[in-house]
Amino acid sequence: MEWCVSMPKIELHAHLNGSIRDSTLLELARGLGEKGVIVFSDVEHVIRKSDRTLHEVFKLFDLIHVITTDHKTVTRITKEVVEDFASENVVYLELRTTPKKNDSIGMSKRSYMEAVLEGLRAITAVDVDFVPRSMDVSSPVTTMNMDTFSGTARKKIYVRLLLSIDRRESTEAALETVKLALEMRDLGVVGIDLSGNPIVGQWDTFFPALEFAKEQGLQITLHCGEVPNKKEIQSMLGFLPHRIGHACCFEEEEWTKLKSSEIPVEICLTSNIRRFRTETISSIDIHHFVDLYNAKHPIVLCTDDSGVFSTTLSQEYRLAASAFGLGKREMFQLAKTAVEFIFADGGVKRNLEDIFFLAEKKLYV
Ligand code: 6MZ
C-alpha cells in the first residue's frame, strides 16, 4: 500500500460531492441538525453505512446535496478533496461536479462554479495548477514537480474541471451547463460529463447539448452502461465520446465496438463491486478490467466517489494488484499510461510525462 501511495497517479473520474471526507460530512450534518434543517440522528447511519445498493447511493447523494449546497461549503469541500488527492501523490486530477442552481440562496450554476474555483485558490498546503497557460507555453518541470512523488518537497497537483450534466436535467439545463463550460475554459474547465442515476432520463434529451459541446471542442466523458440498456450504450458508443466511465453492462457486440473505437474506459473497481454486489458484477474476479487489460484496451483506474465508497486511488491500485496479480511495474505502467487520456493540453501532458520519467528512475533504481 505504501508503494501505491508513493507512486505518482492520475485521477480522471472523481465526483466532487462523492469525494467528501466522512468527518466533514458528519460535521456539516450535525451543524444542520443543530439549526433544525435536518434531523441528525436520522441521517447519521446513512452517512456511516459503507455497503450501498445503487438506489441507496443516489438517495445518499440527495442527502449530501442538502448538506453541502451553499457557496461556503462548496468552497470548503473542493479545497479538502483536492488536498486529499494531493496527499496521496495524485499529480493530475480531473474533478467533475454538477453545477447547481438554488434561487432560495442566490446560487446560480455560475456562482456554484465560482465557489469551486474559490476552493482551488484557497489551497495552501500544496501547489495547485488549475488555470491553463497559453497553449504554446508549457511550464518547465521544476524541482517541485520532480519531487512531488518522493514526499521530500512541496507537492504539486494539476487540477482540471469537468462540468457534469445530471440525467435528471432537461435539454435546456444541459445546454446551460455546456455554455458555462465554454465560458470557463480559461479557468480550467476542460470538458463535460454525463452522470446521475442511470435509470433516469433519456439519451435523446442530452444528445443536443453533448453534440454542441463536442462541436465547440470540449472533451466529453459519459457514464456508459452502468445498468443494462443496450440501445443507450450503442447510441453512446456511436457518439464517440473521448472517454467513458464504468462500462459494466456491455454485451459482446458492445465490447467489440468499444475495442475497435479505442475509447478509453475509466474503471472504478470498488464502486462497481460495492454497488453491483447484488446486481451485475458479483465479485471482482469477473470484473471487465481483466479482459480490457489483457486486450491492451486504454483503461485508467479511478475512485468515482472516494467518500461514498470509502476508498482512495492508492487503494484502487492495491486492489487491482491483489485481485489481478499486477506487479509494481505493471501498476506503474498503468498509472503512467493514463497521461495519454487526460483532457488538459499538451503542455500539461509533457510535464506529467517528465514526472513519471523521473519517478520511474527513483522507484526502480
Ligand atoms: C452516476 C454518479 C455516480 O456532481 O454533486 N455521480 N453518477 N454514477 C455514479 N456512480 C456511483 N457517482 C456520482 O457529485 C455527485 C453527483 O455525481 C453523480 C451524481 O449525479 C451525483 O449526484 P456532484 O459534485
Side-chain angles (χ1 to χ4, degrees):
M1 183 63 183
E2 220 174 279
W3 193 87
C4 291
V5 174
S6 69
M7 176 175 77
K9 292 171 288 295
I10 305 276
E11 170 63 84
L12 300 184
H13 188 135
H15 298 269
L16 173 61
N17 276 285
S19 309
I20 306 169
R21 296 174 190 162
D22 266 2
S23 56
T24 298
L25 212 47
L26 285 166
E27 181 195 319
L28 294 168
R30 206 170 278 123
L32 286 186
E34 279 159 15
K35 286 187 196 149
V37 181
I38 55 171
V39 179
F40 180 66
S41 57
D42 285 356
V43 303
E44 187 181 5
H45 69 282
V46 183
I47 295 172
R48 288 192 193 275
K49 192 176 177 202
S50 63
D51 224 1
R52 300 181 181 88
T53 63
L54 181 68
H55 179 67
E56 286 172 333
V57 166
F58 286 98
K59 282 198 81 123
L60 175 61
F61 279 126
D62 286 343
L63 171 64
I64 291 177
H65 291 147
V66 170
I67 297 173
T68 62
T69 307
D70 70 77
H71 295 110
K72 217 172 97 221
T73 308
V74 170
T75 296
R76 172 181 172 177
I77 61 174
T78 305
K79 176 175 181 285
E80 291 182 356
V81 166
V82 173
E83 283 173 353
D84 288 350
F85 277 112
S87 74
E88 56 152 343
N89 293 313
V90 170
V91 290
Y92 176 92
L93 163 67
E94 256 167 43
L95 187 61
R96 56 185 77 189
T97 192
T98 321
K100 295 169 189 74
K101 201 180 191 145
N102 184 347
D103 292 339
S104 67
I105 56 161
M107 178 180 278
S108 62
K109 287 188 174 187
R110 170 102 207 179
S111 73
Y112 175 92
M113 285 312 301
E114 275 161 6
V116 169
L117 293 173
E118 211 37 56
L120 297 180
R121 290 190 198 104
I123 297 168
T124 52
V126 293
D127 290 320
V128 184
D129 175 311
F130 67 95
V131 175
R133 279 151 234 272
S134 120
M135 294 302 256
D136 304 321
V137 189
S138 75
S139 66
V141 184
T142 63
T143 324
M144 260 173 339
N145 295 101
M146 293 182 206
D147 286 349
T148 292
F149 57 88
S150 70
T152 55
R154 240 175 105 71
K155 291 181 194 295
K156 172 168 177 171
I157 183 168
Y158 289 90
V159 180
R160 294 295 184 268
L161 300 168
L162 303 179
L163 304 198
S164 301
I165 296 169
D166 187 318
R167 295 184 61 112
R168 287 178 291 198
E169 290 184 291
S170 63
T171 305
E172 291 67 35
L175 266 169
E176 191 188 339
T177 297
V178 172
K179 286 182 188 151
L180 179 60
L182 290 169
E183 282 167 32
M184 298 187 81
R185 272 176 147 173
D186 292 346
L187 296 165
V189 174
V190 287
I192 294 287
D193 157 57
L194 175 67
S195 56
N197 192 337
I199 59 170
V200 173
Q202 303 293 325
W203 169 249
D204 290 350
T205 308
F206 318 114
F207 175 72
L210 292 165
E211 193 178 44
F212 175 63
K214 206 176 182 201
E215 279 166 13
Q216 295 297 313
L218 286 166
Q219 305 285 298
I220 316 281
T221 177
L222 306 173
H223 281 59
C224 179
E226 272 198 279
V227 292
N229 185 344
K230 198 174 178 65
K231 190 164 163 262
E232 182 177 277
I233 296 170
Q234 292 197 343
S235 303
M236 285 184 169
L237 292 178
F239 176 73
L240 292 177
H242 302 93
R243 294 197 310 252
I244 59 166
H246 299 300
C248 297
C249 302
F250 280 29
E251 291 172 6
E252 211 41 56
E253 199 183 333
E254 289 87 55
W255 287 128
T256 308
K257 184 149 191 191
L258 175 76
K259 285 177 188 166
S260 68
S261 61
E262 296 191 356
I263 299 168
V265 182
E266 303 149 0
I267 302 247
C268 310
L269 293 172
T270 300
S271 161
N272 293 165
I273 300 306
R274 288 260 170 87
R275 203 155 48 83
F276 288 110
R277 185 155 330 177
T278 51
E279 296 159 47
T280 47
I281 300 175
S282 53
S283 92
I284 194 151
D285 314 333
I286 57 160
H287 195 281
H288 48 286
F289 174 93
V290 180
D291 179 50
L292 293 177
Y293 185 79
N294 289 338
K296 297 195 173 12
H297 187 83
I299 48 177
V300 48
L301 287 183
C302 305
T303 52
D304 201 5
D305 298 293
S306 54
V308 170
F309 297 115
S310 308
T311 189
T312 60
L313 192 54
S314 308
Q315 173 63 27
E316 294 303 297
Y317 275 88
R318 199 184 76 117
L319 181 60
S322 63
F324 312 124
L326 303 188
K328 287 180 182 172
R329 279 197 187 278
E330 284 96 357
M331 276 197 282
F332 188 86
Q333 201 52 42
L334 194 59
K336 185 176 146 185
T337 318
V339 175
E340 292 169 35
F341 319 132
I342 70 168
F343 286 167
D345 60 67
V348 176
K349 272 191 187 164
R350 282 191 292 281
N351 282 355
L352 292 171
E353 279 161 7
D354 288 343
I355 289 171
F356 276 93
F357 176 76
L358 291 162
E360 195 160 12
K361 280 202 201 159
K362 271 212 164 159
L363 287 167
Y364 295 119
V365 174

